[in-house]
Amino acid sequence: MSGRIQRVRHELKRRALQVVKVDQLAPNYVSVTFKGETLHDFVSASYDDHVKFFISEEVRRDFTPRSYDNVAGELTIEFALHATGEASDWARQAAPGQSAEIGGPRGSMIIPMDYTWHVLAGDATALPAIRRRLEELPKEAQVQVLVSGEEAAALPFHSEAQVSLQRYAESKELLAAIGALQLPEGEGFFWFAGEATVAAQVRDTVFTDKGHPRDAARISAYWKQGASGHHEDL
Ligand SMILES: Cc1cc2nc3c(=O)[nH]c(=O)nc-3n(C[C@H](O)[C@H](O)[C@H](O)COP(=O)(O)OP(=O)(O)OC[C@H]3O[C@@H](n4cnc5c(N)ncnc54)[C@H](O)[C@@H]3O)c2cc1C
């Protein structure tokens, strides 16, 4: 991928943090705010970024910096809870006062705001990135949001941009909607994150069936059914 995307590197740092706030935003969706002096120079230049969240020295998982504040020394991560997983189990029991550690982001892919149109799509794991991007986009941006899962139905989507929002219960309905989507005229950017098999089908639909240019899209597997800590850009 190249096009108009700007790739920047950040100094890789590990930061020791403390949990200061936990909010249950939906039945299976928890927002955790961390605090630490080490966050004074934390940088996340893109909604597409991730930090490594250390559950132990051996177990680390990728999460989106949902929001951060260098002055307050705070970082918020939103965890989609699922049946079995160490990060999910950690988030389910998270409480103020607990210690945590993160690494990164190692770099950022900065996706310009001035595309004629934007599509943001994905499952519960994509919601932190999508909700962050919606808050960042300017009011003239034309955005189509397609999301799946019960969390998507429960969460608000705040934006100054012109947003059309479609929520689906299941990823197969989301896939069908992406298949039926008429990509608007003009230069646009297509962003998707979700389960690996679904992401592969989205890739085929968007690049092969619709002929959308690869350098104006980011389609990622944020997890894979039956695998731990899977990350893949398609
Ligand atoms: C760049 C990037 C950013 C991400 N940002 C976020 C974020 O902000 N918030 C967020 O919640 N997740 C995010 N994810 C996804 C998250 O890293 C994975 O869901 C991760 O696998 C969770 O770790 P775990 O220890 O709970 O489960 P794992 O040990 O990795 O997996 C255990 C089992 O659970 C399954 N599983 C994993 N994730 C899910 C899921 N979401 N739903 C159902 N089953 C699952 C696996 O298939 C496996 O069978 C992101 C991933 C990437 C690559």
Side-chain angles (χ1 to χ4, degrees):
M1 185 172 65
S2 57
R4 298 210 284 124
I5 309 305
Q6 190 196 347
R7 189 187 276 272
V8 291
R9 292 257 144 223
H10 308 300
E11 187 188 343
L12 187 56
K13 286 193 179 177
R14 278 173 71 155
R15 293 176 166 90
L17 308 173
Q18 271 216 326
V19 176
V20 288
K21 195 158 164 277
V22 178
D23 289 316
Q24 186 95 34
L25 301 185
N28 285 309
Y29 200 84
V30 173
S31 165
V32 181
T33 301
F34 302 89
K35 200 172 176 81
E37 281 175 18
T38 54
L39 287 168
H40 75 275
D41 62 351
F42 179 85
V43 54
S44 168
S46 172
Y47 70 102
D48 182 69
D49 287 352
H50 66 275
V51 293
K52 289 276 176 209
F53 183 78
F54 289 81
I55 292 116
S56 65
E57 204 43 55
E58 302 77 40
V59 182
R60 51 190 77 175
R61 300 282 185 262
D62 293 348
F63 287 90
T64 305
R66 170 69 176 86
S67 60
Y68 66 99
D69 179 336
N70 293 126
V71 177
E74 290 189 353
L75 165 71
T76 297
I77 293 176
E78 292 175 356
F79 296 82
L81 307 180
H82 57 99
T84 50
E86 296 199 47
S88 181
D89 288 348
W90 182 88
R92 202 175 269 114
Q93 61 78 58
Q98 288 174 342
S99 327
E101 193 173 7
I102 58 151
R106 195 187 277 275
S108 304
M109 310 276 279
I110 302 175
I111 300 163
M113 305 261 194
D114 64 352
Y115 283 95
T116 306
W117 54 265
H118 305 255
V119 170
L120 298 168
D123 66 13
T125 62
L127 291 174
I130 292 174
R131 287 176 2 112
R132 172 173 163 179
R133 179 64 157 178
L134 285 173
E135 288 168 9
E136 293 170 351
L137 282 169
K139 61 179 187 313
E140 58 276 11
Q142 304 275 349
V143 199
Q144 295 197 56
V145 177
L146 300 98
V147 283
S148 65
E150 59 176 23
E151 301 81 2
L155 293 173
F157 292 79
H158 299 298
S159 186
E160 288 194 343
Q162 293 161 55
V163 180
S164 107
L165 171 65
Q166 290 164 272
R167 308 182 212 222
Y168 302 96
E170 304 278 342
S171 57
K172 62 174 187 298
E173 295 169 58
L174 171 62
L175 264 176
I178 292 173
L181 195 65
Q182 290 279 355
L183 297 180
E185 291 291 309
E187 191 194 19
F189 196 89
F190 188 100
W191 189 94
F192 173 91
E195 198 279 326
T197 312
V198 180
Q201 292 177 69
V202 171
R203 172 200 56 202
D204 293 347
T205 301
V206 172
F207 298 141
T208 310
D209 302 347
K210 298 191 189 294
H212 184 72
R214 282 178 181 264
D215 65 4
R218 176 96 154 150
I219 297 175
S220 306
Y222 269 16
W223 63 284
K224 185 176 184 175
Q225 197 72 57
S228 274
H230 182 85
H231 183 194
E232 192 185 356
D233 293 317
L234 296 144

